[in-house]
Amino acid sequence: MSNILGGKITINNDEELKVERTLELKKQNEEIKLLKQKLEQHFEFEIIDYIVADIVEHEDYNHFCLMVSLATVNERISEENAIRLKNEIKEISSINSNYDKLNKDRIKGHFKV
């Protein structure tokens, strides 16, 4: 893989890229784990990893709701808990439109992660 930077051509080593990506994924997984703990502590029910990942990845609120609905259909979260989760995350992130992005930093700050 090559990049042109200021007239210079550099060649990135595939192994370096793999290591960098692995470190990014480990950091993201740790962030998901910490936020999941805080959310579960607050809501007092289990929250599926892919729901928390949507928050960490700044997905839009619509996608977040779809993932919560998926968890409901798969009986991983009750309908009542799903509604509560959607509403509180919407409020914390100051969502005005279904296509507004989730505010990971505001959510993390709210739950002191």
Side-chain angles (χ1 to χ4, degrees):
M1 182 177 270
S2 64
N3 296 325
I4 299 176
L5 302 170
K8 296 181 181 179
I9 297 177
T10 61
I11 299 175
N12 294 327
N13 185 332
D14 284 340
E15 284 302 313
E16 289 176 10
L17 291 174
K18 287 178 187 176
V19 168
E20 184 178 316
R21 182 66 179 141
T22 300
L23 291 174
E24 288 173 8
L25 289 172
K26 284 182 181 181
K27 181 180 175 186
Q28 184 180 37
N29 285 338
E30 186 61 29
E31 193 173 13
I32 290 169
K33 180 180 172 184
L34 290 172
L35 182 56
K36 179 179 176 166
Q37 288 174 341
K38 291 297 181 180
L39 290 171
E40 289 179 344
Q41 184 178 7
H42 171 78
F43 287 103
E44 298 179 342
F45 57 80
E46 183 180 359
I47 300 175
I48 308 307
D49 289 349
Y50 57 79
I51 293 173
V52 182
D54 266 13
I55 296 170
V56 171
E57 295 170 358
H58 296 280
E59 282 290 348
D60 61 50
Y61 182 70
N62 186 58
H63 192 271
F64 171 78
C65 288
L66 291 171
M67 293 299 101
V68 173
S69 294
L70 177 65
T72 305
V73 168
N74 288 326
E75 299 178 355
R76 304 294 304 269
I77 186 173
S78 71
E79 288 184 38
E80 296 82 18
N81 288 343
I83 291 168
R84 180 175 168 220
L85 179 62
K86 289 177 189 178
N87 289 337
E88 286 194 40
I89 293 298
K90 182 177 186 175
E91 183 179 326
I92 293 166
S93 286
S94 299
I95 300 295
N96 295 315
S97 161
N98 282 347
Y99 297 99
D100 287 348
K101 298 285 184 186
L102 295 173
N103 189 323
K104 170 182 76 170
D105 296 327
R106 180 175 278 159
I107 294 169
K108 287 172 61 176
H110 183 81
F111 296 107
K112 296 172 181 53
V113 177

